[in-house]
Amino acid sequence: MSNLETEPDELVCDERPSDPREDDDAGVFELLEPREVPLGGPRAMTVRRTLPQRARSLIGAWCFVDHYGPDDVTDREAGMVVPPHPHTGLQTVSWLFEGEVEHRDSSGAHALVRPGEVNLMTAGSGIQHSEVSTATTRRLHGAQLWVALPDSDRHTTPFFEHAPAVPRTIGDATVRVFMGALGKDAASPLRLFSPLLGAQFDLPAGGVVELPVDPEFEHGLLVDAGPATLDGHDVPFAHLGYRGPGRTTLRVEAGEHPVRALLLGGVPLGEPIVMWWNFIGRSHDEIEAFRAQWQGDVIDGGTATGRFGRVEGYDGAPLPAPDLPGVRLKPRE
């Protein structure tokens, strides 16, 4: 999914939290509140964004989390219609709870994503893609996530992968791992460039699960239905509960309502990244160059063989980049 904000913030991201609360045992807990972001015009989708924000920029290499729906999209104009747009230096992860989305990209990939399946697009040196909810979709509900590629791999050749996430049982929970692995039997075949975990799990009302996790990972729990408690801390609907490294298990409990949540984790990236619009780079000059190439090669029709290629089969124009801010992109204090 594109970041369709017309005046996107400049962000230099690192792993320094603003106000972590120390626990009695290993790690910290933070509760990250979502902010609502309208994607496009007055009838466009509104998403709940929990990453990045001032309190925390990254969880492992996870650097962007948009959570949306359930939305009635019987009227197609209210659905997801994201024209071709660029990405660099990241992987996009598309995960649905309801609905169906058609993906096309300039690597030649054309695929649908449905609940229980994952679309993973590795942008690497540069790619463009479109995303459109299908005509048969009546309700759209899911999450769009980005993973920052480490400096050593961020110029890799773009490619696309799709895979089902096979449900497994851990304690009272049904778990679907779509990135990395959880325990011995739940794993995804998709390619990683840094140690990561992405999983959906569902708990019945009153259910409890002790999830085995890597102590080198930091973790975030995004609650889609609930509320839930994470190691005794309340995590309301659409909020993200953060736990620092040092734990071998995470205990999640449901109250009187069932819980559905996404668990995101990873080894801290250890690299600052500059995020602006749909680009991830390492400096203002690099972001400025990406934008200029997108505008010149794609929007102004300079070439179809440049960094971002061409999306075949999308009926419409690509998305122009917003203007850069009037100052150089720089770290925020």
Side-chain angles (χ1 to χ4, degrees):
M1 182 184 295
S2 173
N3 179 3
L4 296 179
E5 292 176 287
T6 56
E7 297 183 2
D9 291 338
E10 69 274 19
L11 294 169
V12 173
C13 302
D14 57 28
E15 288 101 6
R16 291 173 293 183
S18 62
D19 185 24
R21 283 181 281 166
E22 293 290 346
D23 272 342
D24 294 336
D25 50 4
V28 298
F29 175 81
E30 299 165 27
L31 184 64
L32 305 183
E33 296 185 7
R35 65 182 179 96
E36 291 195 347
V37 178
L39 298 185
R43 301 195 66 186
M45 293 175 59
T46 296
V47 301
R48 299 174 290 272
R49 185 164 297 165
T50 48
L51 279 182
Q53 56 177 270
R54 291 185 183 275
R56 177 158 295 278
S57 302
L58 296 144
I59 296 176
W62 298 100
C63 61
F64 183 93
V65 178
D66 274 359
H67 175 216
Y68 56 89
D71 294 327
D72 183 345
V73 295
T74 305
D75 179 351
R76 289 297 307 284
E77 292 186 16
M80 180 185 292
V81 181
V82 183
H85 59 278
H87 288 293
T88 59
L90 57 83
Q91 294 176 295
T92 65
V93 181
S94 300
W95 184 257
L96 289 177
F97 305 120
E98 295 180 86
E100 185 178 67
V101 172
E102 182 181 37
H103 166 101
R104 297 176 185 269
D105 71 43
S106 54
S107 77
H110 178 206
L112 297 176
V113 63
R114 306 179 180 91
E117 305 170 357
V118 60
N119 274 3
L120 177 66
M121 185 183 74
T122 299
S125 59
I127 200 169
Q128 60 168 304
H129 73 137
S130 64
E131 294 165 294
V132 179
S133 51
T134 62
T136 58
T137 296
R138 296 293 176 261
R139 280 164 59 93
L140 194 60
H141 185 189
Q144 184 70 30
L145 312 108
W146 297 356
V147 175
L149 294 174
D151 189 59
S152 58
D153 298 299
R154 65 191 182 94
H155 298 295
T156 193
T157 301
F159 62 95
F160 177 84
E161 298 172 277
H162 174 97
V166 179
R168 308 292 189 198
T169 300
I170 302 177
D172 293 335
T174 300
V175 178
R176 294 171 174 84
V177 174
F178 53 84
M179 293 284 279
L182 185 63
K184 296 180 179 179
D185 300 321
S188 167
L190 302 183
R191 184 177 177 187
L192 303 180
F193 291 87
S194 61
L196 282 180
L197 168 64
Q200 175 185 326
F201 70 91
D202 297 77
L203 273 175
V208 179
V209 63
E210 295 269 354
L211 296 168
V213 294
D214 189 325
E216 295 186 1
F217 281 26
E218 51 188 349
H219 292 89
L221 182 75
L222 176 67
V223 174
D224 176 67
T229 62
L230 173 61
D231 293 333
H233 299 278
D234 292 334
V235 185
F237 166 75
H239 287 59
L240 192 151
Y242 171 84
R243 297 294 277 142
R247 307 187 65 83
T248 58
T249 61
L250 296 173
R251 181 180 176 88
V252 183
E253 300 176 63
E256 61 183 17
H257 300 290
V259 164
R260 177 167 58 199
L262 297 184
L263 180 63
L264 308 175
V267 172
L269 183 64
E271 300 176 9
I273 60 172
V274 181
M275 293 178 61
W276 180 82
W277 195 45
N278 294 304
F279 303 125
I280 290 183
R282 296 300 187 272
S283 70
H284 172 98
D285 291 340
E286 194 171 46
I287 297 293
E288 186 176 44
F290 291 154
R291 182 191 181 279
Q293 285 179 295
W294 173 252
Q295 291 296 112
D297 292 352
V298 180
I299 302 303
D300 297 336
T303 178
T305 60
R307 177 185 295 273
F308 300 105
R310 172 182 292 171
V311 174
E312 301 291 349
Y314 179 84
D315 184 16
L319 194 67
D323 292 331
L324 281 162
V327 296
R328 288 182 65 83
L329 307 181
K330 59 183 181 180
R332 293 183 175 189
E333 297 298 330

